[in-house]
Amino acid sequence: MSKYKMLTPALPNVPWQDKPENLTGAPIWRYTENPVIDRNPVKNVARIFNSAVVPYEGKFIGVFRGEQTNGIPYIYLGRSEDAIHWNFEENKIPFVDENGEPFMPVYAYDPRLVKVDDTYYIMWCQDFYGASIGMAKTTDFKTFTRIENPFIPFNRNAVLFPRKIDGKFKLLSRPSDSGHTPFGDIFISESPDMVYWGKHRHVMGKSPEWWESVKIGGGAAPIETSEGWLLFYHGVTGTCNGYVYSIGGAILDIDEPSKVKYRCQNFLLTPEMWYEERGFVPNVCFPCATLHDSETGKIAIYYGAADSYVCLAFTELDEIIDYIKNNSVVRPEDTELGVR
Ligand code: BMA
């Protein structure tokens, strides 16, 4: 009998590998065949990383950050039978405006993909006279309608909750500056319609724990569980050789997700494999999505590695929740409502 429950649909074909016997630290283990997407995966795309996937029609579909050979990032669509081997469309996702006219962002990176009710929403970072949040919706993965600039600059790391709370869409984001921002907390905003956003609240900030002492940002769409919203996010530290991105874990209140119930003081995954330590930007583990099966508690985490690859790691609901709870340290900025 499992201790905790995922309040989400079953996904029997979730990608999976059993936990290795010699695992130490947090109960998260890497796929032995990582990286799952290698360099030069599509014509004119040098690297795919920081990408998000969902189950779709018994298979899988995803939005992928593809760094073109001119260095400009865009979003590409990929399809897969097993969520491990991917086929990509050669052309960028052809976004349109509300009138169906072409409406392409100047650039687009770090996409997330979340289904709410019957619609799939894509959110990413784009240029809006400075880095800001881009959004689009689709129901068929053929027509992708952009929602006109929902936020003002500067902001990154938009992550939508997979269901409305109290009738409102909820979105995590990380206000930032125009560069490689040396600060940053996670905030939550709400919207009745995905167009107008307000009631912004503070969720949690960088912490005194050294691995997340510079900034944090939302990662994968939160998973609804009997303990609250399970959030995998990224935490950043600064070293004499640059930033290091690790994966952290927290559990947010189910009805008031601006309140953090538990927050793991240890990182869950930090760069240590060649594909995380070596690449276009070394030392980056950047989670953007999970696939999960409520029947078995299996969770597969998709993360970008070293701004060069897509990788997979696995965990199990009871174990990860217990680990987060047993190592939880929360501060007033975490547990309060986040209104000032
Ligand atoms: C952040 C984003 C991510 C990237 C990370 C490390 O600011 O640009 O896309 O993975 O830096 O370079």
Side-chain angles (χ1 to χ4, degrees), residues 219-290:
I223 303 173
E224 186 170 9
T225 78
S226 50
E227 298 305 287
W229 294 101
L230 172 59
L231 175 69
F232 297 105
Y233 65 98
H234 69 258
V236 182
T237 188
T239 73
C240 61
N241 270 332
Y243 290 152
V244 176
Y245 283 69
S246 304
I247 301 179
I251 298 171
L252 314 179
D253 186 271
I254 206 77
D255 300 315
E256 289 283 4
S258 67
K259 293 182 181 171
V260 179
K261 286 173 70 181
Y262 306 98
R263 177 173 181 176
C264 191
Q265 63 176 315
N266 306 327
F267 55 72
L268 302 180
L269 200 84
T270 201
E272 62 182 54
M273 301 299 281
W274 65 266
Y275 46 81
E276 297 159 349
E277 291 183 335
R278 204 174 73 212
F280 190 74
V281 179
N283 296 317
V284 180
C285 293
F286 196 93
C288 288
T290 61

Side-chain angles (χ1 to χ4, degrees), residues 49-50 65 109-110 180 215 245 281 284 286 307:
F49 54 101
N50 300 3
R65 169 177 177 164
Y109 64 81
D110 296 354
H180 298 290
K215 57 180 170 177
Y245 283 69
V281 179
V284 180
F286 196 93
D307 286 12

Side-chain angles (χ1 to χ4, degrees), residues 64-143:
F64 293 83
R65 169 177 177 164
E67 221 85 336
Q68 301 175 99
T69 45
N70 64 5
I72 299 175
Y74 262 100
I75 309 176
Y76 294 78
L77 200 67
R79 293 171 195 273
S80 174
E81 303 263 327
D82 59 5
I84 294 174
H85 303 91
W86 290 91
N87 292 314
F88 300 106
E89 295 198 354
E90 253 184 45
N91 296 318
K92 303 162 193 163
I93 290 184
F95 292 108
V96 296
D97 66 15
E98 298 283 347
N99 300 319
E101 300 296 327
F103 185 31
M104 293 298 277
V106 176
Y107 60 72
Y109 64 81
D110 296 354
R112 272 64 167 206
L113 175 61
V114 182
K115 185 181 184 203
V116 184
D117 300 332
D118 294 331
T119 303
Y120 295 85
Y121 295 93
I122 309 172
M123 56 246 71
W124 64 88
C125 180
Q126 67 177 16
D127 174 61
F128 176 42
Y129 302 87
S132 192
I133 288 166
M135 273 186 205
K137 57 186 175 184
T138 184
T139 49
D140 57 7
F141 289 96
K142 291 187 181 110
T143 304

Side-chain angles (χ1 to χ4, degrees), residues 18-95:
D18 285 333
K19 185 165 86 169
E21 283 186 0
N22 54 359
L23 191 72
T24 57
I28 286 201
W29 53 100
R30 294 169 176 84
Y31 182 44
T32 51
E33 306 306 309
N34 275 345
V36 296
I37 300 169
D38 216 334
R39 290 191 183 229
N40 302 304
V42 198
K43 198 173 157 204
N44 297 327
V45 173
R47 306 181 307 282
I48 278 181
F49 54 101
N50 300 3
S51 302
V53 308
V54 290
Y56 186 64
E57 294 181 342
K59 299 174 185 171
F60 300 92
I61 201 159
V63 291
F64 293 83
R65 169 177 177 164
E67 221 85 336
Q68 301 175 99
T69 45
N70 64 5
I72 299 175
Y74 262 100
I75 309 176
Y76 294 78
L77 200 67
R79 293 171 195 273
S80 174
E81 303 263 327
D82 59 5
I84 294 174
H85 303 91
W86 290 91
N87 292 314
F88 300 106
E89 295 198 354
E90 253 184 45
N91 296 318
K92 303 162 193 163
I93 290 184
F95 292 108

Side-chain angles (χ1 to χ4, degrees), residues 333 336 338-340:
E333 304 85 66
E336 66 195 13
V339 177
R340 280 184 186 164

Side-chain angles (χ1 to χ4, degrees), residues 174-197:
R174 213 277 307 291
S176 59
D177 69 11
S178 58
H180 298 290
T181 313
F183 63 88
D185 294 359
I186 299 177
F187 290 79
I188 192 167
S189 309
E190 72 172 45
S191 171
D193 54 9
M194 289 294 289
V195 174
Y196 299 101
W197 293 88

